[in-house]
Amino acid sequence: MSRLLKICFLLISANHAEITYSQNSEDLPPLLHKAMEEIITGKYLNALLDILHFQSSNVWTADMLTKVMAYFHAQEVTFNLSSLQMSIESYLKNLLYQPRQLLSEFQQLDQQQFQTAMKYLFNSRKDHLEMGNIILDWDKIRERIFQSPGVNRTLFHITLDKCFLALSALDCVDILSQVLRVSAVNYLQPDVIGSLPNILLEDAFRNLSTVFKDLYDKTSANTQRALYGWMKQILQKPYNMSEFNESTSWVTAEDLWILGRYIVHLPLEEILKISLSEIRVFISYDNATKQLDTVYDITPELAQAFLERINSSGFDMRNTSTIYRLGLLVCFYDEMEQMDAAVARALLHQMIKCNQLKGFQAEVQKLKSQLLNIAMQNQTLNDTLGSLSDAVVGLTSSQLESLSPEAVHNAIATLNQVSGWAKSQVMILSSKYLSYEKVLSFYNVSQMGALVTGISTQSFYSMNPKELSQIIRGTTSQYLSDLSPAQQQGILRKIAASGDFSSSVKDLQGAFFKEISLSGLWKQTGYNSSMMKEKELRRSQALYLYELLSKKNYPVDLLSTGQLVKGVTCQLIESMGTDIFLNNFKLFEMNLHLLSPYQVNCLAWKFWKVSSASIPPFLLLVLPTDYLEYVSGPLCVPFIESLGKTEMDLLNPSLHKKNAVLQKVQECLVGMARGNGSVADEYDVDLLGNLICHLPPAFLHGRMSLKAMATALHQFKLCQQLSHEQKTEITYKLLELYGSPNNWTAETTLDVGPFIALLSKVELNILAEKFPDTILRIAKTIAPISSAEELLSTVFESVSNATATIESSLTRPDCLGTRAPTPDEIIKLAEANVFWSVQELKCMDAGTFDKNVELLGSVSGFNSSQLVALKEKAKQVWGSLPDWKSYHIVSLGRIALALTEHEIEELDLHSIDAISVLSQQTEWTLTQARSILQGFLEDSGQTIGTLKSFDLVGLGAILCALNSTEIMSIRTAEFSAAVARIGLLFCSTPVLRQFKKVTESVFGTAASWNGSILQEIGTIAGGLNEGELKAFDKNLMPYFQPIAVRHIPPEIFQALSAEQIANLGPENAAMVTRSQREHLNASQLQSLQLALDGARTSTPGMQNGASTAQAVQTPAPSGAPCLSGFSIWLCAVFTLHLPF
């Protein structure tokens, strides 16, 4: 922008004398004359569009500006430079920051001006515009326009209002398509659908329908229903509806094709009336399969209605070609009588896509099970395994265990493409496959696909390192991120030990690279910036690598890798030259999600120092709250808009600061002519963006209009951390908006989504009775029972009541007359399985348990009595504990928590992979953990001193049960490779102190540790003693991991100096516990508050920041000022200086 200002300045200076004193008053061309009048009356947008249109068919002559100034002189118009510039800037800012005004301006444009606006906004291929000798950066101007959500909404509304009258319908459809791709879910509200043109030429209608089909998943359920109504209205136009009676339908094959995914909104009775000849034509279309593959939200009733019409239209429903054309309709196939095995296998092959359905998975699993039985008629599972598609996922562990290694080998081409395996299943299949192959090689592993995750850690470690290196580089590498940390560590440890590690490092992609230890990185050479682009880094790795690579690379090369930004220290930011910093800031902004709050705080202080006038507003959030005082008046809208585009949680503000920011936002809303500062309509919702997730309950209650609520609902559903109070107020608003749940449609229920959990039990029962499948679908998205007990209870009752009572098949006296859970019910209920009684769980059929144990083990709400009942059921089904295989143990999930210490001792715990799964449970008692540890050591024939790094990683939280002697016997080399994982554990202080001692044998004494080491060791830093903690340099305090701060005992934490505490950084300061606070003195508490506020203690802050702070309110232009007349206006329009 500053370059453009200089160009303007030079051009105007060169012509200034000629323009000012010319008395040439020749008549201007009519359009230019009109534009000059518009400038005089302040209609700058109209004038700009007229000038652009004028020059599209006219050439600027050398004396054009002279004639313009002569015209102004003849009109006796005298411009005051400062007032003109101020009014133009104010006008243009209003257009960008007050989209309602922009809408009004657009509505007043004449047809030619509107056409010009649309042409330059949407159809211009030019990145620069020339107006006389002035070159305009049109790309930047357009980018700024489209970055504003409110301006995009205005463009959407104005396109609907005026476009179809002014431009060709095809052009308008193209424009709508571009605007809607920004935010279809917010713009396409049901009430807006009524503004869509109801008369369109065929091509335009088809194109617009295609746009709506592409945006289907980005719109609300009510909008989908409204769009179906609009499409139906136009499709019915050519017909005289009186021609259609109760037995005939208006729907043709072409209509079905145009409707696409919207066919799921056809009424059941309409589908049953569709002409059989039209159905036949539709299914014969080459693209019918593609279309039916996308009806993800079709219901069983509608699917079966379509299947019935297809069957009646003459298609052989058991012909493979027909089955292929049915798309997702096969998921509800119901012609099962006298079906042969070949048809069943064809159906199973097509049903691999059924996991894309948005519900009804229990019904799908039931159908697959039936087809599986038919497909295996007169054949063994070994013979049919390769032809069963993904139905094999439904096989129990005992069925998989019965397979021969040869059968698994022969079926591997099918098995490796199946998704949805449980961990226990891939363990069995991998073991079978590898037992046939005998030797584990690169080729064998490359054939396994997703089954590679079932290879044991020990098997990986036993492989030839060269073969392992090939796996890292080969096609199997896409599955490596799915391996457990223990498996990944096993691979890395073997390669590292072979001496071939340096050449393999560059081939490690994604999250796998994160498993390389810091000490492992130190030993390697040959790193470069391009090598880092596809890798995910821990902060400790990034700190080391950035410092290493910065010696030979420019900042832009390092920052553009993405992940390396995690390693930029405050000192590096501070040392950047102003131009380098400002030129590279965009790279920081693009990777904001990777930066720590401390790094963002450093960026804010740096920006304030070098260019306070143009500091991005979201950075004010991480500066002390005093800096918010400089946000007022015209700075309010850009401030709110900037925060709305940022995830506030990424910046991790303290509660005090967050409240101050929200207070400022409310003040701004009041100052922006909003009366009491309310959120009045959709434009306010656009402006607030992500900030809407942080509005306090009282604000939602009193200042959120119903008009705004309709638009805000989708945004609220995306919020990650709404409080119960916020959810309650949102639910009250939704009840105001939609009325009583008695009158809700299925679409409204679906749109309200997770907020139905806040409804009363009575209201939930009404919805569950009317829309049981919808309620089931919503409940699947809500995890912990604590947040939705009433909803899950309602789901349980609804499913139970809908299923015919099935008494337990067990003949035990205590199970007679007792209802038993069925596989269908368990799948449907998910987390709501928590409502089965202990007795009902005890009476569960053995086959039901065996088939659904993983799902039952994933239920987070089961109490100890229920877990014990399920454990006893496992013993009944699988036999005595010593006979359990590793895959049995892995499949238990939370059920394993019910195992007593003595029962754990009976298990075969030789496999670190089984231990790795057990260690993921966080509720073990110390005695249980100790039993697991002892069981592993005894069954694997190891001692603590022989454990490898992958054993340590696999043991995970079980390591917290080690005693001091055992910890000191861990081998240093193995500990160093696993230390980052150990640093994630929440062990007791005595255990952390012992780990700290071992850490010193790796990294040297605590006094020598740097920031990357502190990041690497995590919670182990909680084991530092008072003297060690006091000795740390204040600049290292931000590099303690936040979880480490929380684990420092209060009596040790109080040893920190006030200066050290002040330098903790905002994220670490926020982790200080109440108990730690209680041990601090007044000076330390004051320092803690400074750290929470993001205050800078080492460099002057507010004291000499006041003079620069003034610049935020009235920023000086970043180039020479424009001078006068018409050229002033051109410069002002195209080089508008915005404070943010």
Side-chain angles (χ1 to χ4, degrees):
M1 286 297 184
S2 59
R3 180 173 168 272
L4 288 173
L5 278 167
K6 289 171 185 173
I7 292 172
C8 289
F9 177 77
L10 293 172
L11 287 168
I12 297 166
S13 298
N15 293 301
H16 187 251
E18 178 189 347
I19 293 172
T20 304
Y21 297 105
S22 170
Q23 297 301 312
N24 186 349
S25 58
E26 292 179 28
D27 288 340
L28 291 168
L31 192 57
L32 208 51
H33 180 278
K34 176 170 175 268
M36 296 311 106
E37 285 190 337
E38 286 164 336
I39 290 172
I40 292 169
T41 57
K43 295 181 177 179
Y44 303 118
L45 178 61
N46 303 62
L48 167 64
L49 295 170
D50 282 337
I51 292 167
L52 288 173
H53 182 59
F54 170 79
Q55 75 168 30
S56 66
S57 55
N58 295 274
V59 179
W60 282 90
T61 58
D63 64 343
M64 192 67 74
L65 292 180
T66 306
K67 290 180 180 180
V68 167
M69 294 312 297
Y71 173 79
F72 284 140
H73 181 79
Q75 298 300 312
E76 299 182 351
V77 174
T78 305
F79 285 119
N80 174 285
L81 174 61
S82 61
S83 64
L84 175 62
Q85 186 165 343
M86 192 177 297
S87 63
I88 291 173
E89 287 189 358
S90 174
Y91 168 83
L92 291 170
K93 274 188 276 190
N94 280 340
L95 287 189
L96 286 173
Y97 288 133
Q98 295 190 22
R100 296 177 188 81
Q101 182 184 339
L102 178 61
L103 179 61
S104 174
E105 297 277 346
F106 261 116
Q107 286 168 336
Q108 294 173 41
L109 297 178
D110 62 35
Q111 187 163 315
Q112 185 59 66
Q113 289 167 338
F114 180 80
Q115 289 173 348
T116 303
M118 295 294 105
K119 171 187 171 184
Y120 279 95
L121 280 170
F122 295 103
N123 296 324
S124 174
R125 297 287 179 264
K126 297 180 179 180
D127 54 2
H128 289 81
L129 296 179
E130 296 183 15
M131 299 182 69
N133 293 328
I134 299 173
I135 299 172
L136 312 168
D137 190 342
W138 181 234
D139 259 1
K140 270 197 173 179
I141 297 163
R142 194 158 43 187
E143 181 186 356
R144 179 66 191 89
I145 290 169
F146 290 131
Q147 278 179 347
S148 166
V151 172
N152 272 304
R153 183 180 291 279
T154 284
L155 292 175
F156 171 67
H157 282 309
I158 204 64
T159 303
L160 283 184
D161 288 350
K162 299 190 69 161
C163 189
F164 289 93
L165 300 174
L167 300 178
S168 79
L170 283 172
D171 285 342
C172 295
V173 169
D174 183 54
I175 290 168
L176 274 178
S177 171
Q178 292 182 56
V179 176
L180 283 172
R181 290 185 199 286
V182 175
S183 184
V185 70
N186 281 332
Y187 301 162
L188 274 178
Q189 293 294 320
D191 59 326
V192 173
I193 308 304
S195 304
L196 291 172
N198 54 18
I199 300 176
L200 275 178
L201 294 175
E202 185 176 350
D203 285 351
F205 173 65
R206 282 175 175 272
N207 289 1
L208 192 51
S209 298
T210 300
V211 170
F212 291 146
K213 283 187 281 189
D214 290 345
L215 297 172
Y216 189 93
D217 287 321
K218 296 181 179 178
T219 53
S220 69
N222 271 312
T223 296
Q224 290 164 4
R225 171 66 74 176
L227 284 169
Y228 160 75
W230 172 79
M231 293 165 79
K232 172 186 171 184
Q233 180 186 16
I234 292 183
L235 289 171
Q236 287 179 336
K237 285 272 183 194
Y239 308 111
N240 180 354
M241 293 310 293
S242 62
E243 298 173 11
F244 299 99
N245 56 40
E246 291 183 5
S247 61
T248 58
S249 171
W250 57 271
V251 180
T252 66
E254 190 173 13
D255 294 339
L256 289 170
W257 175 241
I258 291 171
L259 284 168
R261 292 186 62 180
Y262 290 88
I263 64 171
V264 301
H265 296 283
L266 283 165
L268 180 65
E269 56 273 18
E270 194 69 56
I271 295 170
L272 294 172
K273 290 192 300 183
I274 298 174
S275 158
L276 296 180
S277 60
E278 295 295 340
I279 284 285
R280 196 159 47 247
V281 172
F282 173 65
I283 295 298
S284 299
Y285 280 162
D286 288 340
N287 283 328
T289 305
K290 183 180 176 183
Q291 177 168 325
L292 291 172
D293 275 347
T294 63
V295 288
Y296 309 120
D297 48 352
I298 197 164
T299 64
E301 294 76 22
L302 294 184
Q304 282 160 8
F306 273 114
L307 288 169
E308 187 275 320
R309 295 309 280 169
I310 295 166
N311 187 22
S312 300
S313 69
F315 281 95
D316 180 359
M317 299 300 280
R318 300 196 174 183
N319 181 285
T320 304
S321 174
T322 304
I323 290 170
Y324 172 75
R325 290 178 172 275
L326 297 178
L328 290 175
L329 299 183
V330 298
C331 307
F332 305 98
Y333 195 94
D334 57 355
E335 294 285 330
M336 308 294 287
E337 289 183 19
Q338 298 181 332
M339 182 184 292
D340 64 35
V343 174
R345 287 195 290 271
L347 284 165
L348 286 172
H349 182 70
Q350 287 302 303
M351 288 185 74
I352 198 165
K353 61 188 81 166
C354 294
N355 59 4
Q356 298 176 70
L357 287 172
K358 292 188 175 178
F360 310 107
Q361 287 304 316
E363 289 82 352
V364 169
Q365 294 306 319
K366 186 174 182 179
L367 176 57
K368 281 184 180 180
S369 181
Q370 291 171 331
L371 292 170
L372 193 64
N373 291 333
I374 297 171
M376 291 168 55
Q377 279 175 355
N378 303 320
Q379 289 182 291
T380 66
L381 186 55
N382 281 327
D383 295 331
T384 57
L385 184 63
S387 61
L388 301 179
S389 191
D390 72 337
V392 290
V393 171
L395 296 172
T396 64
S397 57
S398 54
Q399 287 175 304
L400 293 175
E401 186 60 66
S402 71
L403 290 167
S404 70
E406 184 181 8
V408 175
H409 172 267
N410 293 338
I412 197 68
T414 298
L415 300 176
N416 65 13
Q417 296 178 48
V418 173
S419 60
W421 294 112
K423 176 71 173 173
S424 60
Q425 291 177 309
V426 292
M427 287 173 71
I428 297 170
L429 290 169
S430 296
S431 175
K432 295 277 183 187
Y433 175 74
L434 296 175
S435 69
Y436 179 86
E437 298 294 346
K438 302 293 190 280
V439 178
L440 188 57
S441 67
F442 162 68
Y443 174 77
N444 294 336
V445 172
S446 67
Q447 300 301 302
M448 295 177 70
L451 294 181
V452 75
T453 58
I455 300 174
S456 73
T457 299
Q458 189 61 51
S459 296
F460 277 126
Y461 187 72
S462 301
M463 277 185 75
N464 181 304
K466 284 190 167 51
E467 301 264 3
L468 278 175
S469 296
Q470 283 183 286
I471 289 173
I472 289 171
R473 298 184 183 97
T475 54
T476 310
S477 62
Q478 64 181 299
Y479 301 106
L480 295 184
S481 60
D482 297 326
L483 298 179
S484 73
Q487 289 170 310
Q488 292 180 347
Q489 185 62 223
I491 293 172
L492 290 174
R493 203 76 187 104
K494 187 57 175 276
I495 296 174
S498 71
D500 187 36
F501 196 53
S502 290
S503 62
S504 300
V505 163
K506 64 178 182 295
D507 296 313
L508 289 172
Q509 301 300 317
F512 201 174
F513 190 86
K514 287 175 71 174
E515 295 302 319
I516 301 175
S517 67
L518 182 61
S519 57
L521 287 181
W522 290 352
K523 297 170 186 172
Q524 312 308 323
T525 56
Y527 299 113
N528 60 60
S529 59
S530 61
M531 190 189 293
M532 298 297 144
K533 288 189 175 173
E534 302 299 324
K535 298 177 179 14
E536 197 174 328
L537 305 179
R538 296 196 313 278
R539 204 166 296 281
S540 58
Q541 295 171 317
L543 283 164
Y544 167 68
L545 290 169
Y546 193 98
E547 183 182 8
L548 178 72
L549 294 172
S550 64
K551 295 167 184 173
K552 293 184 179 179
N553 293 270
Y554 294 109
V556 65
D557 296 324
L558 301 181
L559 297 176
S560 60
T561 64
Q563 289 278 325
L564 275 176
V565 299
K566 294 177 179 177
V568 181
T569 63
C570 239
Q571 288 85 346
L572 284 167
I573 293 170
E574 197 57 48
S575 65
M576 283 183 180
T578 299
D579 288 343
I580 291 175
F581 174 77
L582 294 175
N583 291 338
N584 289 305
F585 180 76
K586 193 72 180 173
L587 293 171
F588 285 115
E589 197 170 10
M590 286 165 52
N591 293 294
L592 191 65
H593 62 289
L594 299 176
L595 298 173
S596 70
Y598 177 66
Q599 286 175 302
V600 179
N601 181 251
C602 296
L603 287 172
W605 280 115
K606 177 70 174 181
F607 218 124
W608 184 266
K609 178 181 175 183
V610 301
S611 185
S612 60
S614 59
I615 186 170
F618 73 86
L619 288 181
L620 293 176
L621 179 62
V622 300
L623 293 176
T625 50
D626 293 351
Y627 282 73
L628 292 173
E629 294 174 12
Y630 302 111
V631 177
S632 62
L635 306 190
C636 266
V637 175
F639 172 70
I640 295 176
E641 185 182 288
S642 177
L643 286 184
K645 290 178 179 177
T646 309
E647 285 288 349
M648 194 189 291
D649 291 330
L650 289 176
L651 307 177
N652 200 28
S654 65
L655 183 61
H656 165 71
K657 187 179 290 187
K658 185 175 174 180
N659 290 338
V661 170
L662 293 174
Q663 183 59 41
K664 175 57 67 177
V665 168
Q666 291 178 54
E667 288 173 16
C668 279
L669 288 174
V670 171
M672 289 155 47
R674 299 285 190 278
N676 67 347
S678 66
V679 178
D681 58 19
E682 65 271 29
Y683 281 106
D684 287 339
V685 174
D686 290 340
L687 178 63
L688 286 167
N690 293 324
L691 273 175
I692 209 157
C693 300
H694 303 280
L695 296 176
F699 186 99
L700 294 172
H701 178 78
R703 300 187 187 181
M704 174 71 76
S705 76
L706 295 184
K707 187 176 182 183
M709 193 66 209
T711 304
L713 175 56
H714 172 73
Q715 189 73 35
F716 280 129
K717 285 162 73 174
L718 297 177
C719 298
Q720 297 295 311
Q721 295 179 317
L722 291 173
S723 69
H724 179 76
E725 291 73 23
Q726 283 176 303
K727 289 177 183 176
T728 301
E729 292 300 340
I730 291 167
T731 306
Y732 286 150
K733 282 289 176 187
L734 291 172
L735 288 170
E736 277 188 70
L737 179 66
Y738 294 123
S740 166
N742 282 315
N743 304 319
W744 287 7
T745 61
E747 288 78 20
T748 297
T749 306
L750 204 54
D751 285 344
V752 172
F755 296 109
I756 67 168
L758 280 296
L759 296 175
S760 70
K761 182 70 172 167
V762 172
E763 291 167 327
L764 285 169
N765 286 336
I766 291 168
L767 293 176
E769 189 175 339
K770 288 168 66 179
F771 315 116
D773 296 323
T774 303
I775 295 298
L776 211 57
R777 182 171 156 189
I778 294 169
K780 291 268 189 183
T781 66
I782 300 172
I785 185 171
S786 57
S787 64
E789 188 167 353
E790 292 279 21
L791 172 60
L792 294 177
S793 166
T794 303
V795 166
F796 182 80
E797 292 164 11
S798 173
V799 170
S800 300
N801 295 337
T803 309
T805 301
I806 300 174
E807 292 189 6
S808 174
S809 61
L810 301 183
T811 56
R812 286 172 18 196
D814 59 337
C815 285
L816 294 175
T818 301
R819 176 190 176 82
T822 66
D824 280 6
E825 289 173 323
I826 291 170
I827 293 170
K828 285 182 179 180
L829 290 172
E831 192 65 26
N833 278 295
V834 74
F835 290 99
W836 292 111
S837 71
V838 169
Q839 188 61 30
E840 287 168 333
L841 293 174
K842 283 181 178 179
C843 295
M844 189 189 312
D845 177 73
T848 300
F849 176 83
D850 202 18
K851 197 167 187 174
N852 295 282
V853 60
E854 265 95 0
L855 203 160
L856 292 167
S858 69
V859 175
S860 64
F862 278 138
N863 61 35
S864 57
S865 299
Q866 290 169 309
L867 293 176
V868 168
L870 290 168
K871 176 198 68 176
E872 293 301 324
K873 178 61 62 178
K875 289 159 77 172
Q876 289 173 25
V877 176
W878 297 333
S880 63
L881 293 169
D883 295 332
W884 286 12
K885 302 285 195 296
S886 292
Y887 62 79
H888 286 132
I889 298 167
V890 162
S891 66
L892 285 172
R894 285 191 71 245
I895 300 170
L897 294 169
L899 292 164
T900 66
E901 301 90 82
H902 298 302
E903 287 172 327
I904 292 169
E905 288 170 10
E906 290 186 65
L907 294 172
D908 177 1
L909 296 177
H910 77 279
S911 165
I912 191 59
D913 300 292
I915 300 297
S916 179
V917 173
L918 290 177
S919 71
Q920 292 170 20
Q921 299 300 330
T922 58
E923 303 163 73
W924 296 112
T925 65
L926 185 59
T927 51
Q928 282 177 310
R930 189 76 201 169
S931 291
I932 293 170
L933 175 66
Q934 292 296 346
F936 171 65
L937 292 174
E938 290 171 14
D939 294 339
S940 64
Q942 297 198 78
T943 64
I944 299 294
T946 63
L947 293 178
K948 300 280 196 302
S949 60
F950 54 80
D951 293 319
L952 297 173
V953 169
L955 282 163
I958 305 300
L959 290 173
C960 294
L962 291 169
N963 61 41
S964 58
T965 305
E966 290 168 331
I967 291 172
M968 296 311 293
S969 65
I970 297 173
R971 284 184 291 178
T972 302
E974 305 304 326
F975 183 86
S976 69
V979 67
R981 283 280 168 186
I982 296 171
L984 298 174
L985 305 178
F986 298 163
C987 299
S988 66
T989 301
V991 171
L992 293 178
R993 283 177 179 155
Q994 293 304 313
F995 280 144
K996 189 266 300 181
K997 290 179 182 177
V998 185
T999 303
E1000 288 185 305
S1001 67
V1002 177
F1003 297 120
T1005 60
S1008 66
W1009 293 351
N1010 58 22
S1012 60
I1013 293 173
L1014 281 172
Q1015 278 289 315
E1016 179 83 348
I1017 67 174
T1019 56
I1020 296 173
L1024 292 162
N1025 63 39
E1026 189 175 324
E1028 291 165 335
L1029 199 58
K1030 284 171 65 176
F1032 275 106
D1033 185 282
K1034 64 178 183 180
N1035 292 320
L1036 285 176
M1037 300 312 294
Y1039 297 101
F1040 280 84
Q1041 280 199 31
I1043 52 173
V1045 172
R1046 188 168 284 259
H1047 277 79
I1048 299 173
E1051 63 275 12
I1052 303 293
F1053 187 79
Q1054 70 179 351
L1056 289 171
S1057 69
E1059 195 173 22
Q1060 284 176 307
I1061 291 173
N1063 280 275
L1064 277 171
E1067 187 176 22
N1068 283 348
M1071 294 298 283
V1072 174
T1073 65
R1074 176 178 296 194
S1075 179
Q1076 288 170 329
R1077 280 174 176 267
E1078 289 171 352
H1079 282 71
L1080 300 181
N1081 60 36
S1083 173
Q1084 289 171 313
L1085 287 170
Q1086 187 177 11
S1087 292
L1088 183 62
Q1089 192 57 52
L1090 288 173
L1092 283 167
D1093 281 348
R1096 174 161 280 196
T1097 56
S1098 55
T1099 56
M1102 291 297 291
Q1103 292 83 350
N1104 55 9
S1107 59
T1108 50
Q1110 186 60 29
V1112 173
Q1113 288 183 294
T1114 55
S1118 57
C1122 297
L1123 297 180
S1124 63
F1126 181 54
S1127 295
I1128 296 173
W1129 177 72
L1130 287 176
C1131 286
V1133 168
F1134 291 104
T1135 60
L1136 171 63
H1137 177 78
L1138 298 176
F1140 291 140

